[in-house]
Amino acid sequence: MRAVQIHGEKDIRMADVPMPKPNDNELLLKVAGVCVCGSDLHYYLEGGVNTKKIIDPQIPGHEISAWVWDDRAEEFGFKKGQLVAVEPTEVCGECDHCHNGRPNLCQSQKFYGGPPNQGALAEYFKATKEMIIPVPDDMSPGVVAALEAVGIGIHAMRKADLQVGQSVAILGAGPIGLILSQLARAHGAGRIVVVDPVEYRRKIAVELGADVAVDSFEKVADLTDGRGPDLVIEATTSPDAFDQAVKTVKWAGRIVLVGIPTGTAYNPIDAITMRGKEVTVLTCNKMGHVYPEAIEAVKRGMVDVDALLTHHVELEDAIAAYDRQAAMKDGALKTVVYPNGIPS
């Protein structure tokens, strides 16, 4: 079957690879759509994410929609040809984290799309029943694939504990930042300020409900009565963003770190300011079981996913799509790659 593989830093190629062979507790899936995520771009630009480096050719792709394509579908409670979302993380189901509702912290997990586990940017994929998520019939393959990103936002908002009327600053207006801005509005936030250096991203942030979008974190204080926002959510790739969040948030405010920084570390943080402000800092690692909530948020219009899906391409154009999205060309936010052709 055809697939896309990342071999290392800025080395991405088309390839012919063997078909997946499901075992007794897995089903064969025909891939409908795969969204290009920011972490995919880390693998493309840096040859890895933080300390997790590509050694063997890696098929990326963890934001997945697919059709169940297995003759055993009904034995698993599905219909052959049914469009589904795919949870990219396979967990043990037995550890303390799994039992306590935090499967994203399972120490035995396999995250498909990150080495050494091959992702879904190929014509076919396989998954266990637990990884296959039914979706409404009227959802498109692109929107279904993007549900994983919505889930990341929902997980972060749970951490944030946003109260009605509180002010929010979101650092970064990529797809995750724009999802977080919309979810903050749905949670009843007061003033929402989005920070991003890229003009077209700021424009979209306001179109999607932010009160204002600015090009520097230094401008946030004046937009929040000089106090700083109650909550700062960081959703960038910048190693400087943690320090910027500390300097932006109000005294006794909260910071949620969602973005994956380039490299393996944040740049030095103003520890005196962070201690003096008594800032609460929370981190996010993927998400828990939030697909039902993600589906509901999209169904009810809390998150406009279609506005984020700026480019739709076939598998042969995936390499160019990675380059375009990484370089922020042509207004790119999120690309959907359709390995079996763009649906009519």
Side-chain angles (χ1 to χ4, degrees), residues 178-249:
L178 294 170
I179 287 168
L180 287 164
S181 178
Q182 294 179 77
L183 288 172
R185 179 61 69 213
H187 276 70
R191 192 170 185 83
I192 298 174
V193 181
V194 173
V195 181
D196 198 285
V198 180
E199 183 178 5
Y200 77 81
R201 291 185 168 203
R202 297 197 301 272
K203 181 175 182 291
I204 294 171
V206 174
E207 290 173 355
L208 291 177
D211 291 289
V212 63
V214 295
D215 60 0
S216 171
F217 75 97
E218 295 169 320
K219 297 180 179 179
V220 174
D222 289 341
L223 297 168
T224 52
D225 300 323
R227 298 183 313 120
D230 298 287
L231 169 68
V232 175
I233 307 179
E234 181 278 322
T236 80
T237 61
S238 172
D240 294 321
F242 189 179
D243 184 58
Q244 293 172 0
V246 169
K247 292 172 177 173
T248 301
V249 73

Side-chain angles (χ1 to χ4, degrees), residues 5 11 17 21 25 33-34 75 84 111 148 192 219 254-255 274 285 291 313-314:
Q5 292 180 326
D11 184 359
V17 300
K21 296 180 179 179
N25 70 329
V34 176
E75 298 175 27
V84 295
F111 182 73
E148 196 268 352
I192 298 174
K219 297 180 179 179
R254 302 183 306 288
I255 295 171
M274 184 167 69
N285 179 9
Y291 268 96
V313 304
E314 298 195 3

Side-chain angles (χ1 to χ4, degrees), residues 16-28:
D16 287 316
V17 300
M19 284 279 292
K21 296 180 179 179
N23 61 32
D24 289 344
N25 70 329
E26 296 172 325
L27 288 175
L28 180 67

Side-chain angles (χ1 to χ4, degrees), residues 84-123:
V84 295
V86 182
E87 160 63 65
T89 306
E90 182 181 357
V91 299
C92 74
E94 300 295 334
C95 67
D96 287 346
H97 294 306
C98 287
H99 283 303
N100 291 328
R102 306 185 79 174
N104 55 310
L105 302 183
C106 175
Q107 299 299 290
S108 301
Q109 68 177 261
K110 295 179 181 178
F111 182 73
Y112 293 95
N117 305 299
Q118 300 298 324
L121 198 51
E123 292 178 296

